[in-house]
Amino acid sequence: MSLQAEIKEILSQLGIQENNQGASTGANWIASTGAKIASVSPVDAQVIAHVNMATEAQYNQVIEKAQSAFLEWRTVPAPKRGEIIRQLAERIRFYKEPLGKLVSYEMGKSLQEGLGEVQEMIDICDFAVGLSRQLYGLTMHSERPGHRMYEQYHPLGIVGIISAFNFPVAVWNWNTALAWVCGDVCVWKPSEKTPLTAIACQHITQEVFAANGVPEGVSGLVIGDGEIGKLMANDSRVPLVSATGSTRMGKSVGAAVGQRLGRSLLELGGNNAIIITPSADLKMVVPGAVFGAVGTAGQRCTSTRRLIIHDSIYDKVKDALAAAYKQLRIGNPLDQNNHVGPLIDQDAVNNYLNAIEAAQKEGGKVVVEGGVLAGAGYESGCYVKPCIIEAENHFAIVQHETFAPILYIMKYTGSVHNAIAMQNGVPQGLSSAIMTNELKESEAFLSAAGSDCGIANVNIGTSGAEIGGAFGGEKETGGGRESGSDAWKVYMRRQTNTINYSDSLPLAQGIKFDL
């Protein structure tokens, strides 16, 4: 079976049929009739299917359905909501292989990573099932006799989700699984570069929700460009907007949501570094750094952008990395023998080339040469060679996040505190790591005076995250937290309650107000 025939079969398995109006979007089960866009695979430049975007009127229909659905969904007991999410996890398990393949083909990440992303969906659903019985509040003692105080959490309402192309399904589910068990409803605007995976997720969700009598509107989908995102950011009917993407986009969303005093959960750019100390084990350094730099072709927000290497081992590490890069296999990401797939589109390729040129103009020295691959298997023009450039931390291009497999390496001298200062010396603050066998160095890195990132790892790389921990970063990364730990609280409103079970009405702080 040819690749195109296999993908067509996968689309059919996932409930996606293309007709004259474009692919079946399932946009909250409201047909979209806006401008038609093509989903083009970066693997081979083939058009997978066409999709109609939602109009403003259709966006409003989806929001209105969500508002209505919330009134009913919030009254369903949380453990019953959790049971429905448990069933969703089982259904995603059933569709793991075809959905993982579609993620790989539409976005361009390796099949292993595509399947891994679907597994993240399953994992967060499992987490949410347990959470549905743990939406804990607190009880505290009142200063007034015959009074009891406690606080509890209630559903917030509509959660608007704006997701990026690089994790086209997992980040949506990080939000929805938690929001749904919290009693919220969700409206999703996926990246227009990966609409088909979003439609597939909507169909899978609808199978489970329809079987359980979940009201239409609990899961909504509006495919569109930045204009739909602006509508959502400015919509006072959407109390929380969770947005994943560039810092530029996040600043725009945050400003719009803040202007109306709404809430925003922002997961934005990263400029992640690994500090490599003299005691580091090279057997751990090389695979951690290489996967971090080239996984998903450098298109993860947690991708390793910088290596900060002690001068005493700099040449040894540089040579080991160069040798490892020679072993990388670049090609069709659905072939599990390949390590690196394509960039998402030609704009990404141009950004990659411009960044290499800018680094060289600032004085950077190429260690492993980059470039665009051509010829058989590379017809899409989106396959590039991962490259390594010796640079300085203060270079303008190094301070900027480029979504591509470019790794900047640089030296530090003296103590680990000098390396930590370099690691922190960028506008972003998402993920960070240190490779060391010295306890004092690892503790310094993890201390209040250490890494200023939301994620700080010891002897693992910057890329990848487990469901159990809260995911997110500081500074220009936006400050948001998704996934595990107590990230669920952002999807709820806190309420403090006081109950007077006495026969009098004493006032707080001993105030007397006799009538």
Side-chain angles (χ1 to χ4, degrees):
M1 184 185 294
S2 69
L3 178 58
Q4 281 67 42
E6 183 180 6
I7 295 301
K8 185 170 288 189
E9 174 63 24
I10 285 171
L11 292 177
S12 178
Q13 290 176 45
L14 295 171
I16 302 173
Q17 302 292 333
E18 187 169 19
N19 53 39
N20 291 335
Q21 284 73 48
S24 169
T25 64
N28 206 17
W29 311 287
I30 294 171
S32 298
T33 59
K36 186 177 290 188
I37 58 173
S39 173
V40 180
S41 172
V43 174
D44 53 13
Q46 295 295 310
V47 174
I48 311 172
H50 292 87
V51 178
N52 285 95
M53 296 193 294
T55 64
E56 182 174 349
Q58 287 157 352
Y59 164 82
N60 283 315
Q61 283 183 276
V62 172
I63 294 296
E64 287 164 9
K65 269 200 171 184
Q67 284 183 300
S68 177
F70 174 62
L71 301 180
E72 180 178 346
W73 182 243
R74 67 183 177 182
T75 65
V76 176
K80 291 187 180 296
R81 297 192 296 253
E83 163 58 19
I84 295 168
I85 301 308
R86 185 196 65 77
Q87 294 176 37
L88 178 60
E90 289 303 305
R91 207 63 190 149
I92 295 170
R93 284 182 173 92
F94 178 80
Y95 286 113
K96 179 177 178 178
E97 184 173 348
L99 183 57
K101 283 184 178 178
L102 182 58
V103 168
S104 177
Y105 186 63
E106 187 174 37
M107 184 268 149
K109 65 175 58 177
S110 71
L111 179 58
Q112 300 95 308
E113 291 180 273
L115 294 171
E117 183 173 347
V118 178
Q119 184 62 47
E120 282 193 47
M121 299 174 71
I122 296 166
D123 292 344
I124 194 63
C125 285
D126 288 348
F127 178 91
V129 174
L131 178 66
S132 69
R133 294 181 182 269
Q134 301 177 65
L135 301 173
Y136 299 133
L138 294 172
T139 299
M140 60 282 291
H141 292 279
S142 172
E143 67 184 46
R144 290 168 285 184
H147 285 60
R148 180 167 70 89
M149 293 180 64
Y150 68 96
E151 64 180 28
Q152 60 182 333
Y153 288 85
H154 290 305
L156 193 60
I158 300 174
V159 176
I161 302 166
I162 300 172
S163 64
F165 73 86
N166 59 331
F167 279 85
V169 296
V171 170
W172 165 75
N173 211 191
W174 281 8
N175 285 274
T176 54
L178 300 193
W180 284 330
V181 298
C182 288
D184 297 319
V185 299
C186 299
V187 175
W188 181 21
K189 191 209 90 66
S191 169
E192 59 269 36
K193 297 177 182 180
T194 52
L196 298 177
T197 48
I199 295 169
C201 289
Q202 183 75 340
H203 284 308
I204 294 169
T205 302
Q206 170 60 355
E207 283 187 27
V208 176
F209 281 14
N212 285 274
V214 175
E216 287 191 15
V218 172
S219 178
L221 174 66
V222 281
I223 291 173
D225 55 18
E227 293 306 308
I228 292 290
K230 289 178 183 178
L231 287 174
M232 185 177 287
N234 287 284
D235 194 340
S236 60
R237 297 170 295 180
V238 182
L240 171 65
V241 176
S242 174
T244 302
S246 68
T247 296
R248 177 190 57 78
M249 180 276 291
K251 288 180 177 180
S252 174
V253 170
V257 176
Q259 182 68 28
R260 58 179 176 85
L261 299 182
R263 298 189 197 178
S264 57
L265 193 169
L266 302 176
E267 299 286 0
L268 311 177
N271 196 344
N272 316 296
I274 301 177
I275 296 170
I276 303 174
T277 71
S279 68
D281 184 343
L282 282 189
K283 295 192 301 295
M284 299 172 72
V285 167
V286 172
V290 174
F291 174 73
V294 309
T296 322
Q299 296 173 116
R300 290 178 174 228
C301 50
T302 55
S303 290
T304 305
R305 310 289 179 201
R306 298 173 293 145
L307 291 187
I308 302 169
I309 309 166
H310 194 270
D311 62 350
S312 65
I313 57 167
Y314 181 83
D315 289 336
K316 180 188 289 189
V317 173
K318 180 174 72 170
D319 292 345
L321 289 170
Y325 269 52
K326 290 178 182 177
Q327 301 174 50
L328 292 175
R329 294 185 295 273
I330 308 167
N332 185 338
L334 278 78
D335 181 346
Q336 297 192 49
N337 292 313
N338 292 324
H339 299 109
V340 184
L343 292 175
I344 186 65
D345 55 23
Q346 287 300 317
D347 286 342
V349 172
N350 292 336
N351 289 336
Y352 159 86
L353 294 173
N354 291 338
I356 294 173
E357 182 180 358
Q360 290 178 290
K361 284 183 177 179
E362 290 191 76
K365 179 183 177 183
V366 175
V367 174
V368 174
E369 187 177 359
V372 181
L373 295 169
Y378 303 123
E379 290 86 356
S380 71
C382 294
Y383 292 88
V384 302
K385 294 187 286 185
C387 70
I388 301 176
I389 299 175
E390 289 184 293
E392 297 292 339
N393 202 51
H394 65 265
F395 286 0
I397 192 62
V398 175
Q399 294 282 309
H400 174 77
E401 179 192 41
T402 302
F403 238 44
I406 301 172
L407 179 63
Y408 301 110
I409 61 174
M410 57 201 71
K411 297 178 183 178
Y412 81 93
T413 59
S415 77
V416 72
H417 297 284
N418 295 331
I420 292 172
M422 291 174 65
Q423 124 79 48
N424 292 343
V426 293
Q428 309 84 357
L430 179 53
S431 188
S432 58
I434 187 170
M435 296 288 186
T436 181
N437 284 325
E438 293 290 338
L439 177 64
K440 289 183 178 180
E441 290 182 331
S442 65
E443 290 297 315
F445 180 72
L446 299 175
S447 73
S451 169
D452 64 2
C453 294
I455 299 169
N457 300 327
V458 177
N459 289 332
I460 62 172
T462 64
S463 189
E466 291 190 42
I467 289 304
F471 179 90
E474 302 300 325
K475 302 190 297 188
E476 288 195 357
T477 302
R481 292 296 185 276
E482 292 174 330
S483 191
S485 185
D486 65 350
W488 61 271
K489 291 182 178 179
V490 76
Y491 303 97
M492 304 196 82
R493 59 182 177 88
R494 186 194 308 243
Q495 184 181 81
T496 300
N497 307 111
T498 304
I499 299 173
N500 178 2
Y501 58 91
S502 74
D503 295 325
S504 61
L505 185 60
L507 302 178
Q509 291 87 44
I511 295 172
K512 301 295 183 181
F513 190 70
D514 296 325
L515 293 177

